[in-house]
Amino acid sequence: MNNVPGLYVSPTEFVRFAEGERTARRQLADQIATRQRSPDFSALGLYLPNPDPILKKQGKDVQVYTDLLSDALVGGSVRRRKAGVVKMEWRVERGRASSRSAKLCEQLLGELDLRRLMRETLQAPLLGWQPLEVTWSGGQGAMVPVAVEAKPAQWFHFDAEAQLRFKSREAPFDGELLPARKFLVPAQDASYANPYGFADLSMCFWPTVFKRGGLKFWVTFTEKFGTPWLVGKVPRSTAKKEQDALLDQLESMVQDAVAVIPDDASVDVVESSGRTASAELYERLLMFCRSEISIALLGQNQTTESNSNRASATAGLQVTEDLRDADARLVEATVNQLLRWVVDLNEGEAAAAPTFELFEQEEVDKQQAERDEILVRAGAKLTREYFRRTYDLEEGDLAEETEPEPTEPLAAAPTNLPPTAAEVQFAEALAPAPETDALDALVHEAMGDWEPLMAPLVQPLQAALDEAAARGETAAELLARLPELLQTLDVRALETALTQATVTARVGALAGLQADGSSDGIEPQPADPPGPAFSELAPPTQPQKLEVHVHLSTPAAEPPVVQVTNTLPEQAPPVVHVHNALPEQAAPVVQVTNAVQPAEVTVVPMHPSRAVQTVQRREDGELAGTVTDYEFKQQVEDPNAL
């Protein structure tokens, strides 16, 4: 309390002065621990060096990490990590932004090379940070980016205020301060102490160096101990010149396996043995380095090593997906910053901006979909909420349900069916109309014959349904054994009855049976009526049964062959009297004159009903003649001649 200006108004109550209150608030609002006051701040002028320990010890820039990408394992792991994010789907969520802003941003991302932008943004986790220069459209209309390109990170640095600067030729040391909304700077795990972020390739530097060095020594070891040694023996008194000549021949013999030596010299082949353990040391070193690189870039090494099992590889894939999600959040933050700038320049900083999201298209569970299809066929009704929740559908993906048009209610099933088939209804079991006629009466009379025929077919099916329900079988299991059950049903009696009913109905129709039970109303004519008349067959005295259509679907292997013999009563052949009376007419007189060429004129004592004259011409077009054809109605003297 001694440092705060104020006054004790009582032994237990202290009141601060107003000036002291304002000073205390200013101290809370100001930063105390800054780079300028820190004891380890080593910046010279405006330059803030990268605190990466490897770069500081090497005295180099991030180009050292870029060179590591030439390694097969490092480059392959980087491509795999980027591909996991690039393959994801993207969308623009409007949120509270205006419709114009949402359409503008979505059109912008559609015109940009978004996949390239994502790959270049993903350089930030590898190098720690990645500057991206934005080129804006300078013409009329909306201000939108026309290009977003990654620039080498070694061209830039941060100043003491963590502001990005470009090391140009005019200012190579301090750098040029860049304008606002010009550069996007995605960084991984950037902090106040390290705005350059953390580079994942820094964890791969020493493992890659040791792997390259170990591989070099391993190759040397293989050349040295992988081939047998050739030892040449010469007499002790051999001159130095001859020894050198023999040595040259032995060196050539390593490649050619052919040499010429004196008869008093010898060559021994010495095999190197006991070097297996030394060779395994190099392999273990390289495998350790490979494992460290995979863990640094992918978070695990189970999907890159040959001795992993299914369980470990599955767990490793989960870790890789976690890293992919982290990289996706970095890409989203970078693109959302770009969209925020677009809205600021076109609608103002107070306007809300849409958001960019990356998501993975989930595969539909085939087993779940097949189960739902079976349930729907069995009669289950699944709601729209169920489909949206189970298959991750969005609003508008499912069509609106339409109410079916009202139809006339069907009549109840006959009450005299067997108890096990009471729930089965047939299309022909409709209630009769209020005013029945002879056809309806015949149909209802025939219905009494169909029910005993259908009961033996329905009872086994109903028993199978009851049995499946008692066992708890699914609809698919019941449908699988239904064809075998249908083959055991005897439909011969039903086929015979249908055939007889069809033939009887056709015979009744040919006999002239009407809907009211009467004949077609044609009365027999007298023998010689004054005009033309025709007589038909007399209708049968007994009403015939009409045709009744019963649709029964049975998966029979072969269609049955039914032979039906119908015996009809013999009837006398009908007597038809035809009388044609034509009025008497005088024979016509026809005169024909052929002006071009005389032709024979024939006078027919009859009136022609039609004359057709045809003009004939030669090949040169000149008139050659005419031909006249006449059509006559023949007068019949005897009416019975026809």
Side-chain angles (χ1 to χ4, degrees):
M1 286 297 181
N2 296 332
N3 297 330
V4 179
L7 178 65
Y8 281 96
V9 296
S10 68
T12 58
E13 184 179 0
F14 180 80
V15 179
R16 297 179 179 179
F17 294 153
E19 183 64 27
E21 183 70 20
R22 289 194 294 269
T23 304
R25 292 194 177 189
R26 283 197 301 268
Q27 291 176 351
L28 294 177
D30 296 337
Q31 289 188 359
I32 298 177
T34 60
R35 294 188 183 91
Q36 290 79 2
R37 301 183 61 189
S38 64
D40 58 348
F41 183 66
S42 57
L44 298 177
L46 298 176
Y47 176 63
L48 180 64
N50 193 335
D52 187 286
I54 295 179
L55 297 181
K56 290 174 63 177
K57 292 180 180 179
Q58 295 292 326
K60 299 180 180 179
D61 51 23
V62 292
Q63 184 63 36
V64 176
Y65 295 153
T66 306
D67 295 340
L68 297 179
L69 297 176
S70 60
D71 184 81
L73 182 60
V74 175
S77 301
V78 168
R79 287 198 304 271
R80 179 180 176 183
R81 183 167 171 177
K82 289 184 178 181
V85 180
V86 173
K87 74 175 184 179
M88 299 178 69
E89 303 292 334
W90 63 273
R91 61 190 171 204
V92 176
E93 292 292 339
R94 176 180 174 182
R96 296 183 301 171
S98 63
S99 176
R100 176 178 179 273
S101 298
K103 292 182 180 179
L104 179 62
C105 294
E106 188 170 0
Q107 181 181 3
L108 161 68
L109 296 180
E111 295 177 355
L112 288 177
D113 191 353
L114 192 57
R115 301 301 177 186
R116 174 187 175 185
L117 175 59
M118 293 170 63
R119 286 192 295 267
E120 292 179 348
T121 304
L122 291 175
Q123 286 290 106
L126 304 176
L127 306 178
W129 65 306
Q130 177 60 62
L132 301 172
E133 185 173 4
V134 182
T135 304
W136 297 86
S137 61
Q140 300 295 330
M143 286 285 294
V144 295
V146 295
V148 181
E149 298 176 325
K151 298 302 175 68
Q154 57 269 23
W155 292 359
F156 303 86
H157 63 250
F158 291 97
D159 58 13
E161 300 298 331
Q163 298 295 325
L164 186 66
R165 289 179 174 268
F166 172 57
K167 295 185 291 185
S168 62
R169 294 183 179 180
E170 293 77 10
F173 186 75
D174 295 338
E176 296 179 2
L177 187 61
L178 301 174
R181 301 187 183 93
K182 184 59 178 176
F183 279 87
L184 294 167
V185 188
Q188 177 178 250
D189 299 338
S191 61
Y192 179 84
N194 182 16
Y196 295 92
F198 179 77
D200 288 346
L201 288 178
S202 63
M203 298 183 292
C204 305
F205 180 77
W206 291 117
T208 305
V209 172
F210 292 147
K211 186 171 75 73
R212 291 175 177 176
L215 181 60
K216 179 180 179 180
F217 290 130
W218 194 4
V219 171
T220 304
F221 177 85
T222 304
E223 292 178 351
K224 183 176 182 181
F225 297 101
T227 354
W229 296 347
L230 300 179
V231 179
K233 297 180 180 180
V234 294
R236 190 180 299 272
S237 59
T238 305
K240 177 65 175 174
K241 182 178 180 181
E242 295 179 359
Q243 294 181 7
D244 295 339
L246 180 60
L247 179 60
D248 295 339
Q249 292 179 357
L250 293 179
E251 290 179 353
S252 302
M253 189 177 179
V254 174
Q255 300 293 333
D256 303 334
V258 176
V260 178
I261 59 175
D263 56 355
D264 57 348
S266 62
V267 176
D268 296 338
V269 179
V270 180
E271 297 286 345
S272 60
S273 60
R275 302 293 180 178
T276 305
S278 301
E280 291 179 353
L281 289 177
Y282 290 104
E283 182 179 4
R284 290 168 57 185
L285 174 63
L286 264 64
M287 295 304 297
F288 173 78
C289 294
R290 287 174 53 88
S291 177
E292 291 295 304
I293 294 173
S294 299
I295 293 175
L297 294 177
L298 303 178
Q300 46 82 30
N301 64 340
Q302 298 300 319
T303 59
T304 57
E305 303 299 333
S306 59
N307 57 353
S308 60
N309 52 34
R310 179 179 178 85
S312 61
T314 303
L317 286 176
Q318 183 63 38
V319 177
T320 304
E321 291 180 358
D322 296 339
L323 288 179
R324 181 205 62 186
D325 294 340
D327 293 342
R329 301 294 84 79
L330 179 62
V331 173
E332 289 178 352
T334 304
V335 178
N336 285 330
Q337 181 63 55
L338 180 64
L339 299 183
R340 177 70 262 178
W341 290 352
V342 172
V343 176
D344 291 346
L345 294 176
N346 292 278
E347 295 192 1
E349 298 182 358
T355 57
F356 172 82
E357 291 183 0
L358 290 173
F359 65 96
E360 183 178 11
Q361 188 69 34
E362 297 183 0
E363 297 182 358
V364 177
D365 190 350
K366 184 178 180 181
Q367 185 177 2
Q368 176 78 13
E370 291 178 350
R371 192 202 70 169
D372 293 343
E373 181 182 5
I374 294 173
L375 291 177
V376 171
R377 290 182 177 179
K381 303 189 72 174
L382 304 180
T383 62
R384 295 166 55 87
E385 289 73 14
Y386 171 80
F387 283 106
R388 292 181 59 185
R389 181 178 63 256
T390 304
Y391 299 102
D392 195 19
L393 301 177
E394 297 182 358
E395 188 68 26
D397 292 345
L398 297 176
E400 296 292 337
E401 297 181 358
T402 57
E403 294 294 336
E405 297 181 358
T407 57
E408 297 181 359
L410 297 178
T415 57
N416 56 350
L417 287 177
T420 56
E423 298 180 357
V424 182
Q425 295 183 358
F426 297 94
E428 66 271 12
L430 299 177
E435 297 181 0
T436 60
D437 52 17
L439 296 178
D440 295 331
L442 292 177
V443 171
H444 289 292
E445 182 182 353
M447 287 301 301
D449 299 335
W450 298 120
E451 294 169 2
L453 294 175
M454 294 300 301
L457 302 179
V458 176
Q459 289 176 356
L461 297 177
Q462 183 64 39
L465 292 174
D466 298 339
E467 181 182 358
R471 292 181 178 180
E473 295 182 355
T474 62
E477 295 174 348
L478 176 60
L479 294 176
R481 60 187 185 91
L482 187 59
E484 181 180 358
L485 177 61
L486 294 178
Q487 293 179 0
T488 61
L489 300 180
D490 188 5
V491 297
R492 290 177 295 179
L494 178 61
E495 293 171 351
T496 303
L498 290 175
T499 305
Q500 292 178 354
T502 303
V503 174
T504 303
R506 292 185 180 275
V507 171
L510 293 175
L513 183 64
Q514 301 299 316
D516 56 356
S518 62
S519 63
D520 55 3
I522 301 177
E523 298 293 335
Q525 302 294 329
D528 296 324
F534 299 93
S535 176
E536 301 290 344
L537 289 173
T541 58
Q542 298 295 331
Q544 303 294 327
K545 294 183 180 180
L546 298 180
E547 181 178 359
V548 180
H549 297 277
V550 178
H551 301 278
L552 180 64
S553 178
T554 57
E558 296 180 357
V561 179
V562 180
Q563 296 181 356
V564 179
T565 303
N566 295 310
T567 303
L568 302 178
E570 297 182 357
Q571 297 181 357
V575 179
V576 180
H577 298 278
V578 180
H579 176 75
N580 296 319
L582 300 176
E584 296 182 358
Q585 296 180 359
V589 178
V590 180
Q591 296 180 357
V592 178
T593 302
N594 192 341
V596 179
Q597 180 179 354
E600 182 180 359
V601 178
T602 304
V603 179
V604 182
M606 297 180 63
H607 288 289
S609 62
R610 184 182 180 187
V612 179
Q613 187 175 24
T614 304
V615 178
Q616 298 180 352
R617 295 181 181 274
R618 295 194 299 267
E619 294 181 356
D620 56 356
E622 294 295 332
L623 187 64
T626 60
V627 177
T628 304
D629 297 327
Y630 299 93
E631 296 179 4
F632 299 92
K633 289 184 179 180
Q634 183 179 2
Q635 182 176 2
V636 181
E637 297 293 336
D638 186 4
N640 297 326
L642 297 177

